[in-house]
Amino acid sequence: IQTITSHLIERYGDDCLRFYWAVFNEPDLSSLFWRPNDWGELMRFYDYTVDAVLRAFEDHGYDSSKVTVGGLELAAVRPDALRLDEFLVHCSPTAEGKTPMRENAVFADPQMNGKRSKRVEALCAANGGKGSPCDYISVHSYSNAANAVMKITNAKTIALQIDPAYYEK
């Protein structure tokens, strides 16, 4: 991920700061895109992927706080499979709640000491190893605009209930 991101930065330069760097595609459709019921591994993958994207920017002299990372690209067609609340608790540096993995996997990994992105390092160091950068949540829409608005509004409501300060922006 870091190599691919670096290549894109080398090719497109400052324009990459306008990209929305998304991790995943419809993990809520677990039988199609992700191992069923292993959201702990999903969160670990998210942490490492986000950190790799941010480190690539830093390696090229960019401020990683200006990089927009997030994703999930939820299908949201099966509300019982959504589990967005667990993901948002994981990403929040302060929220308490049900989640298969509370600590940031990159921060908890001693092999990553001195190799983490500055953004992940600062967030987790200030919060006991908790938190993962998540600037947005994306939802795919397979029906009409009103349904899409409802899905994204619901995602925002969930985020603000979990951690209004962290997800305010």
Side-chain angles (χ1 to χ4, degrees), residues 11 16 38 42 49 62 67 70 96 105 111 121 152 162 165 169:
R11 183 167 183 172
C16 290
D38 195 355
L42 177 139
T49 301
Y62 289 97
V67 178
E96 296 298 328
Q111 293 182 63
E121 184 73 34
I152 201 68
I162 289 170
K169 297 179 185 173

PDB file of all heavy atoms in Angstrom, residues 11 16 38 42 49 62 67 70 96 105 111 121 152 162 165 169:
ATOM      1  N   ARG A  11       3.555  10.481  -9.268  1.00  0.00           N
ATOM      2  CA  ARG A  11       2.941  10.749 -10.567  1.00  0.00           C
ATOM      3  C   ARG A  11       2.052  11.991 -10.550  1.00  0.00           C
ATOM      4  O   ARG A  11       2.059  12.781 -11.482  1.00  0.00           O
ATOM      5  CB  ARG A  11       2.136   9.546 -11.016  1.00  0.00           C
ATOM      6  CG  ARG A  11       1.548   9.738 -12.392  1.00  0.00           C
ATOM      7  CD  ARG A  11       1.016   8.471 -12.958  1.00  0.00           C
ATOM      8  NE  ARG A  11       0.536   8.725 -14.306  1.00  0.00           N
ATOM      9  CZ  ARG A  11       0.149   7.804 -15.122  1.00  0.00           C
ATOM     10  NH1 ARG A  11       0.210   6.549 -14.767  1.00  0.00           N
ATOM     11  NH2 ARG A  11      -0.291   8.104 -16.317  1.00  0.00           N
ATOM     12  N   CYS A  16      -2.840  14.575  -5.195  1.00  0.00           N
ATOM     13  CA  CYS A  16      -3.178  13.444  -4.319  1.00  0.00           C
ATOM     14  C   CYS A  16      -3.776  13.903  -2.995  1.00  0.00           C
ATOM     15  O   CYS A  16      -4.487  13.140  -2.338  1.00  0.00           O
ATOM     16  CB  CYS A  16      -1.950  12.585  -4.060  1.00  0.00           C
ATOM     17  SG  CYS A  16      -1.413  11.669  -5.522  1.00  0.00           S
ATOM     18  N   ASP A  38     -15.121 -11.667  11.033  1.00  0.00           N
ATOM     19  CA  ASP A  38     -13.770 -11.388  11.514  1.00  0.00           C
ATOM     20  C   ASP A  38     -13.464  -9.893  11.386  1.00  0.00           C
ATOM     21  O   ASP A  38     -12.595  -9.492  10.640  1.00  0.00           O
ATOM     22  CB  ASP A  38     -12.738 -12.230  10.763  1.00  0.00           C
ATOM     23  CG  ASP A  38     -11.389 -12.230  11.474  1.00  0.00           C
ATOM     24  OD1 ASP A  38     -11.242 -11.504  12.475  1.00  0.00           O
ATOM     25  OD2 ASP A  38     -10.488 -12.939  11.021  1.00  0.00           O
ATOM     26  N   LEU A  42     -10.398  -7.135  10.114  1.00  0.00           N
ATOM     27  CA  LEU A  42     -10.731  -5.988   9.273  1.00  0.00           C
ATOM     28  C   LEU A  42     -10.141  -4.706   9.868  1.00  0.00           C
ATOM     29  O   LEU A  42      -9.535  -3.906   9.164  1.00  0.00           O
ATOM     30  CB  LEU A  42     -12.251  -5.858   9.155  1.00  0.00           C
ATOM     31  CG  LEU A  42     -12.768  -4.662   8.365  1.00  0.00           C
ATOM     32  CD1 LEU A  42     -13.934  -5.079   7.489  1.00  0.00           C
ATOM     33  CD2 LEU A  42     -13.205  -3.539   9.289  1.00  0.00           C
ATOM     34  N   THR A  49      -3.255  -0.253   6.723  1.00  0.00           N
ATOM     35  CA  THR A  49      -3.419   0.390   5.420  1.00  0.00           C
ATOM     36  C   THR A  49      -3.406   1.906   5.551  1.00  0.00           C
ATOM     37  O   THR A  49      -2.707   2.602   4.799  1.00  0.00           O
ATOM     38  CB  THR A  49      -4.722  -0.089   4.751  1.00  0.00           C
ATOM     39  OG1 THR A  49      -4.660  -1.513   4.601  1.00  0.00           O
ATOM     40  CG2 THR A  49      -4.908   0.550   3.392  1.00  0.00           C
ATOM     41  N   TYR A  62       4.948  15.611   2.756  1.00  0.00           N
ATOM     42  CA  TYR A  62       3.612  16.160   2.988  1.00  0.00           C
ATOM     43  C   TYR A  62       3.206  16.012   4.450  1.00  0.00           C
ATOM     44  O   TYR A  62       3.653  15.099   5.143  1.00  0.00           O
ATOM     45  CB  TYR A  62       2.567  15.440   2.117  1.00  0.00           C
ATOM     46  CG  TYR A  62       2.673  15.759   0.652  1.00  0.00           C
ATOM     47  CD1 TYR A  62       3.346  14.911  -0.211  1.00  0.00           C
ATOM     48  CD2 TYR A  62       2.083  16.905   0.131  1.00  0.00           C
ATOM     49  CE1 TYR A  62       3.442  15.191  -1.563  1.00  0.00           C
ATOM     50  CE2 TYR A  62       2.166  17.192  -1.222  1.00  0.00           C
ATOM     51  CZ  TYR A  62       2.851  16.335  -2.063  1.00  0.00           C
ATOM     52  OH  TYR A  62       2.938  16.617  -3.393  1.00  0.00           O
ATOM     53  N   VAL A  67      -4.242  14.708   4.652  1.00  0.00           N
ATOM     54  CA  VAL A  67      -4.657  13.570   3.833  1.00  0.00           C
ATOM     55  C   VAL A  67      -5.996  13.060   4.361  1.00  0.00           C
ATOM     56  O   VAL A  67      -6.157  12.864   5.562  1.00  0.00           O
ATOM     57  CB  VAL A  67      -3.601  12.450   3.875  1.00  0.00           C
ATOM     58  CG1 VAL A  67      -4.041  11.245   3.065  1.00  0.00           C
ATOM     59  CG2 VAL A  67      -2.255  12.973   3.385  1.00  0.00           C
ATOM     60  N   GLY A  70     -10.295   7.125   5.088  1.00  0.00           N
ATOM     61  CA  GLY A  70     -11.512   6.564   5.673  1.00  0.00           C
ATOM     62  C   GLY A  70     -11.981   5.428   4.808  1.00  0.00           C
ATOM     63  O   GLY A  70     -11.184   4.680   4.261  1.00  0.00           O
ATOM     64  N   GLU A  96     -16.054   4.280  24.353  1.00  0.00           N
ATOM     65  CA  GLU A  96     -16.160   2.966  24.976  1.00  0.00           C
ATOM     66  C   GLU A  96     -17.312   2.255  24.285  1.00  0.00           C
ATOM     67  O   GLU A  96     -18.302   2.869  23.929  1.00  0.00           O
ATOM     68  CB  GLU A  96     -16.439   3.102  26.476  1.00  0.00           C
ATOM     69  CG  GLU A  96     -15.321   3.777  27.248  1.00  0.00           C
ATOM     70  CD  GLU A  96     -14.000   3.013  27.206  1.00  0.00           C
ATOM     71  OE1 GLU A  96     -14.025   1.761  27.145  1.00  0.00           O
ATOM     72  OE2 GLU A  96     -12.937   3.667  27.223  1.00  0.00           O
ATOM     73  N   ALA A 105      -3.710  -1.391  15.832  1.00  0.00           N
ATOM     74  CA  ALA A 105      -2.787  -2.504  15.591  1.00  0.00           C
ATOM     75  C   ALA A 105      -1.375  -2.026  15.274  1.00  0.00           C
ATOM     76  O   ALA A 105      -0.395  -2.648  15.702  1.00  0.00           O
ATOM     77  CB  ALA A 105      -3.311  -3.384  14.454  1.00  0.00           C
ATOM     78  N   GLN A 111       7.289  -3.841  16.253  1.00  0.00           N
ATOM     79  CA  GLN A 111       8.104  -3.775  15.035  1.00  0.00           C
ATOM     80  C   GLN A 111       7.905  -2.455  14.289  1.00  0.00           C
ATOM     81  O   GLN A 111       8.704  -2.111  13.427  1.00  0.00           O
ATOM     82  CB  GLN A 111       7.762  -4.943  14.115  1.00  0.00           C
ATOM     83  CG  GLN A 111       8.162  -6.294  14.688  1.00  0.00           C
ATOM     84  CD  GLN A 111       7.845  -7.398  13.720  1.00  0.00           C
ATOM     85  OE1 GLN A 111       8.405  -7.446  12.628  1.00  0.00           O
ATOM     86  NE2 GLN A 111       6.944  -8.281  14.117  1.00  0.00           N
ATOM     87  N   GLU A 121       0.956   8.003  15.196  1.00  0.00           N
ATOM     88  CA  GLU A 121       1.765   8.071  16.417  1.00  0.00           C
ATOM     89  C   GLU A 121       1.193   9.099  17.392  1.00  0.00           C
ATOM     90  O   GLU A 121       1.011   8.811  18.575  1.00  0.00           O
ATOM     91  CB  GLU A 121       3.216   8.424  16.071  1.00  0.00           C
ATOM     92  CG  GLU A 121       4.155   8.418  17.252  1.00  0.00           C
ATOM     93  CD  GLU A 121       4.485   7.028  17.768  1.00  0.00           C
ATOM     94  OE1 GLU A 121       4.570   6.087  16.965  1.00  0.00           O
ATOM     95  OE2 GLU A 121       4.671   6.879  18.992  1.00  0.00           O
ATOM     96  N   ILE A 152     -26.305   7.642   4.611  1.00  0.00           N
ATOM     97  CA  ILE A 152     -25.165   8.448   5.054  1.00  0.00           C
ATOM     98  C   ILE A 152     -25.529   9.271   6.292  1.00  0.00           C
ATOM     99  O   ILE A 152     -24.706   9.481   7.173  1.00  0.00           O
ATOM    100  CB  ILE A 152     -24.583   9.309   3.910  1.00  0.00           C
ATOM    101  CG1 ILE A 152     -23.148   9.705   4.221  1.00  0.00           C
ATOM    102  CG2 ILE A 152     -25.419  10.505   3.605  1.00  0.00           C
ATOM    103  CD1 ILE A 152     -22.180   8.561   4.217  1.00  0.00           C
ATOM    104  N   ILE A 162     -21.305   7.927  19.076  1.00  0.00           N
ATOM    105  CA  ILE A 162     -20.142   7.215  19.612  1.00  0.00           C
ATOM    106  C   ILE A 162     -19.101   8.185  20.153  1.00  0.00           C
ATOM    107  O   ILE A 162     -18.573   7.992  21.252  1.00  0.00           O
ATOM    108  CB  ILE A 162     -19.546   6.289  18.533  1.00  0.00           C
ATOM    109  CG1 ILE A 162     -20.507   5.119  18.324  1.00  0.00           C
ATOM    110  CG2 ILE A 162     -18.156   5.810  18.892  1.00  0.00           C
ATOM    111  CD1 ILE A 162     -20.184   4.250  17.146  1.00  0.00           C
ATOM    112  N   ALA A 165     -16.939  14.521  19.628  1.00  0.00           N
ATOM    113  CA  ALA A 165     -15.776  15.391  19.431  1.00  0.00           C
ATOM    114  C   ALA A 165     -14.894  14.893  18.290  1.00  0.00           C
ATOM    115  O   ALA A 165     -14.462  15.676  17.436  1.00  0.00           O
ATOM    116  CB  ALA A 165     -14.958  15.460  20.736  1.00  0.00           C
ATOM    117  N   LYS A 169     -16.122  16.690  12.618  1.00  0.00           N
ATOM    118  CA  LYS A 169     -15.786  17.202  11.288  1.00  0.00           C
ATOM    119  C   LYS A 169     -16.082  16.186  10.210  1.00  0.00           C
ATOM    120  O   LYS A 169     -15.990  16.435   9.067  1.00  0.00           O
ATOM    121  CB  LYS A 169     -14.328  17.621  11.241  1.00  0.00           C
ATOM    122  CG  LYS A 169     -13.999  18.750  12.173  1.00  0.00           C
ATOM    123  CD  LYS A 169     -12.546  19.107  12.107  1.00  0.00           C
ATOM    124  CE  LYS A 169     -12.212  20.157  13.145  1.00  0.00           C
ATOM    125  NZ  LYS A 169     -10.818  20.428  13.238  1.00  0.00           N
TER     126      LYS A 169
END
